[in-house]
Amino acid sequence: MSDSQKLTLVGVPLDLGAKNLGVDIGPEAFRHQQIVEKLQNVGFDVTDNGNIECTDRKDLDPGNPRMHYLDEIIRVNEELANLTETAIHAQDKAVVVGGDHSINLGAVAGASVALEGNLGLIYLDAHGDMNTDKTTLSGNIHGMHLASLLGYGAPELIDVHGEGQKISKDNLLHIGGSDFDQAELELIKNEGLRAFTLFDLLSKNIGPLLAMIDNLASRVDNIWISLDLDVIDKIYAPGAGMPNAKGLTYREIATIAEYIGEKCNVVGIDVVEYNPLQDEQNKTAELGIELIAKFLGKDYSWYTNYMSRNQVG
């Protein structure tokens, strides 16, 4: 990757996919933490496209009890899909900051259309996000979008930015899951979806996961990364929308990100479910920025920051 790699940043302050209030201010909190300047400092030419305008829930009717705020979520995701498709056509890397995880639907749909389906998805999340309108226990769309990208569930969600599935079920790798609903477990088993859970990591160590990443990278030319901050232990990511007491450690998530950055052609990333109201000393936002850089093949950490501030001359 050249030092002049272009990157398009898009903020999506959407909180309608769940009831995790506070994630709507995530994009501006990332900017306050100097995401643009920090990514520029490690070698990216960053264009900040600002935020997609999202309607406040107080001005909306939840509508369908099995798919709350469906129309507005689809509208926002269609706009995001257009922006993502445009960025990738321009040979930019796309970085999308949320917002709740339902924004992954538009981000990946846009990338998939731009790349004519030649896209793998590495999905890091404590939850499955593979419910449908038929199996949901909550009606929250942030638990359905991954199923929709794979072609399961409500047509309204499956057909965002073009009809049909956007990711082949063979090109998904779900990492770090620890809280799946029964319907999600059945879907994973019945459809043979690739999932490397927290239990797998603790019982088998990281080696088999690295082999799964290698296998995916050998079969598709392009990879999208979706990072829900709740996959990380709340010691390191207290500002996750749903803080996780049994998530990945810093060294685990950093190692996974570095490996992906080295082995995969990552075309875009979404970082979601950041609630700055729960953060401590901005450390969740700072970790999110660090991981974006690592997933895109750049060296960024407290150590590189320390060295850049203490260079001689």
Side-chain angles (χ1 to χ4, degrees):
M1 184 186 299
S2 71
D3 285 342
S4 60
Q5 173 65 57
K6 295 189 299 176
L7 188 156
T8 293
L9 178 71
V10 181
V12 192
L14 184 73
D15 69 355
L16 301 176
K19 295 184 176 70
N20 297 335
L21 301 182
V23 300
D24 58 318
I25 56 176
E28 286 311 303
F30 271 115
R31 292 187 179 96
H32 182 73
Q33 194 62 16
Q34 298 182 300
I35 185 172
V36 172
E37 294 82 357
K38 288 173 179 175
L39 292 175
Q40 287 173 334
N41 287 342
V42 297
F44 292 104
D45 177 5
V46 183
T47 299
D48 185 353
N49 274 7
N51 289 345
I52 292 176
E53 185 174 339
C54 302
T55 306
D56 192 288
R57 68 175 59 227
K58 73 178 187 306
D59 298 321
L60 294 167
D61 186 312
N64 186 340
R66 304 198 68 80
M67 292 186 287
H68 299 150
Y69 304 105
L70 175 65
D71 291 346
E72 178 66 2
I73 289 173
I74 288 175
R75 184 194 67 78
V76 170
N77 275 290
E78 287 284 6
E79 187 171 341
L80 176 58
N82 284 323
L83 291 172
T84 305
E85 181 180 2
T86 298
I88 290 177
H89 276 312
Q91 305 296 309
D92 284 17
K93 306 288 186 183
V95 173
V96 180
V97 289
D100 71 60
H101 213 159
S102 67
I103 69 172
N104 173 250
L105 179 60
V108 172
S112 178
V113 169
L115 297 165
E116 298 179 345
N118 184 9
L119 183 67
L121 174 59
I122 296 179
Y123 197 92
L124 297 113
D125 198 319
H127 306 94
D129 296 345
M130 288 184 262
N131 274 294
T132 70
D133 58 315
K134 300 294 193 297
T135 66
T136 181
L137 301 175
S138 66
N140 293 334
I141 290 176
H142 84 154
M144 306 181 201
H145 56 275
L146 181 51
S148 302
L149 287 168
L150 296 168
Y152 309 113
E156 300 97 316
L157 295 173
I158 295 171
D159 294 340
V160 165
H161 206 60
E163 292 184 3
Q165 71 174 179
K166 306 305 186 298
I167 296 290
S168 165
K169 68 179 185 179
D170 295 329
N171 294 339
L172 168 71
L173 175 55
H174 190 294
I175 300 174
S178 56
D179 293 300
F180 294 96
D181 295 331
Q182 185 59 38
E184 294 174 322
L185 292 172
E186 291 172 4
L187 182 67
I188 290 168
K189 179 180 178 181
N190 293 339
E191 297 299 323
L193 304 178
R194 291 177 175 87
F196 194 83
T197 67
L198 180 67
F199 183 83
D200 291 328
L201 180 64
L202 295 176
S203 60
K204 302 174 185 176
N205 214 321
I206 203 170
L209 173 59
L210 303 185
M212 294 171 80
I213 293 169
D214 289 342
N215 179 267
L216 180 60
S218 73
R219 289 185 292 101
V220 288
D221 297 326
N222 311 289
I223 301 290
W224 186 277
I225 305 295
S226 187
L227 174 64
D228 187 324
L229 291 164
D230 74 15
V231 79
I232 306 166
D233 194 285
K234 68 178 184 179
I235 293 172
Y236 311 99
M242 300 174 71
N244 184 4
K246 56 179 179 178
L248 301 177
T249 66
Y250 170 77
R251 69 178 181 180
E252 290 164 349
I253 189 64
T255 299
I256 292 168
E258 289 173 7
Y259 192 82
I260 290 171
E262 178 183 343
K263 298 292 186 176
C264 300
N265 177 37
V266 176
V267 296
I269 301 171
D270 61 80
V271 178
V272 299
E273 304 286 356
Y274 173 48
N275 182 354
L277 302 177
Q278 296 176 170
D279 208 356
E280 298 170 5
Q281 299 176 315
N282 300 314
K283 67 180 180 181
T284 311
E286 181 64 17
L287 177 56
I289 296 167
E290 175 182 340
L291 293 173
I292 290 168
K294 282 181 162 64
F295 280 124
L296 293 172
K298 297 294 187 182
D299 188 16
Y300 180 107
S301 68
W302 70 267
Y303 180 73
T304 58
N305 287 341
Y306 169 81
M307 293 302 293
S308 68
R309 294 194 303 269
N310 291 277
Q311 290 182 19
V312 176

